[in-house]
Amino acid sequence: MRPLGRRTRFGIEAEAPEEFVLPPTGRVSVVPQDYEGWLVEVLDNFGVPQASVELKGQTVALEGLQREHWRSEATNGILTFSLVGYKATVKFLAADMLHKPHDLDRLIASVEFWQSLVACGGRLRILKQDCNGDQSARHRIAKL
Amino acid sequence: MRLDRTGKDFVVEWKPDGEWGFDTRPPPRKCQVQIKSTRLGSRQVRVKLSATEWLAKDLAPAFILCPVIDAEDQVDHYVGFHLANYWLERILERLRKAAVKREIPSHLSIALTLSRGQRLESRGVRAWLENECGADMARYAAEKALALKTIGYDDDGPEYIMTVTVGSVSEIVECLMGERELDASFGTPHPLRN
């Protein structure tokens, strides 16, 4: 085995200092890219879906990480959902509608969803789509 | 006019693409070309290693173009060498060995075997250069810069154990959500994989 900290190029060991393997200094940042597909449904008192909306979500729920630190968030640019521990929060980003262009279908679906959510008393169900498209495997019902 | 000592006999430039706005159009296609003529029947040409280093390290496409001269002193055909991939590796390897032996690149030469180059007729030179350069000079430069840094290394780079320092667990969660950066320190590198 060659000495620790040296690299070889074309079979020739490093001579230049910049080629020695030295620990870098740095900071760690993460850009989440693997978004989950979320389908969120408003439920009436009998558990029947009244409206739904699809969003892109991301979740941090690691084995060994206490549940109070778990976080899930999802947005479609108009609605945002946040789950922290046992607390669920839904926001309707009305101010963003004035400044950002939005797809008309998504806008209508979001407004209908919000109206149903208010009318039905804040009962909703979150279906998270797993990698093979199965939405039934993981779901969570929240009452705002 | 000053004599060019770095081997770039010609800087070949194309007109900017006219389909774009002046400020948004991409960098125009451009390449470096060194001419190295030879006689019909020759099997190889020799180029100074120092000249090939200038060409190889330039992030623009670089070529050595060999007009092959016949008995009537006319160009019979051309042989083109694109200093990328195989030839870039050859040049970097020669430079590496020269550095270890404390040799001077301008005293050394590298042989280009004509049969390994691209035989071209006069009318085909322009199209070949255009094709080899591609249309995206920024991408070409990025790929060449990466190749210059990575070609020939006998490993994939070092492995480290990273230690992240946080004040609370929520900082880790926020980092994983893409909301915060964390300080990291690295231990001594692990033995490299071959």
Side-chain angles (χ1 to χ4, degrees), chain A residues 124-144:
Chain A
L124 53 83
R125 176 167 61 192
I126 297 170
L127 298 161
K128 291 183 185 177
Q129 197 165 36
D130 61 22
C131 54
N132 57 14
D134 181 7
Q135 289 183 332
S136 63
R138 293 183 293 155
H139 71 274
R140 178 170 180 174
I141 296 177
K143 175 77 169 66
L144 297 177

Side-chain angles (χ1 to χ4, degrees), chain B residues 142-161:
Chain B
E143 289 178 353
K144 188 169 182 180
L146 181 65
L148 286 167
K149 278 186 180 177
T150 56
I151 281 181
Y153 279 102
D154 302 315
D155 57 65
D156 294 329
E159 288 184 0
Y160 298 96
I161 291 178

Side-chain angles (χ1 to χ4, degrees), chain B residues 89 102 130 151 154-155 166 181:
Chain B
E89 188 170 341
R102 307 287 189 267
E130 286 180 355
I151 281 181
D154 302 315
D155 57 65
V166 293
E181 290 185 347

Side-chain angles (χ1 to χ4, degrees), chain B residues 114-127:
Chain B
L114 294 176
S115 61
R116 293 206 67 132
Q118 177 67 46
R119 183 187 168 109
L120 303 161
E121 302 307 320
S122 296
R123 288 175 178 273
V125 172
R126 180 193 175 106

Side-chain angles (χ1 to χ4, degrees), chain B residues 101-118:
Chain B
K101 294 178 182 175
R102 307 287 189 267
E103 293 174 323
I104 300 168
S106 60
H107 295 175
L108 302 172
S109 64
I110 187 167
L112 305 178
T113 306
L114 294 176
S115 61
R116 293 206 67 132
Q118 177 67 46

Side-chain angles (χ1 to χ4, degrees), chain B residues 38-44 68-70 76-77 114:
Chain B
T38 187
R39 287 284 177 185
L40 201 60
S42 298
R43 295 179 61 188
Q44 63 181 34
V68 180
I69 311 295
D70 64 16
D76 182 80
H77 65 276
L114 294 176

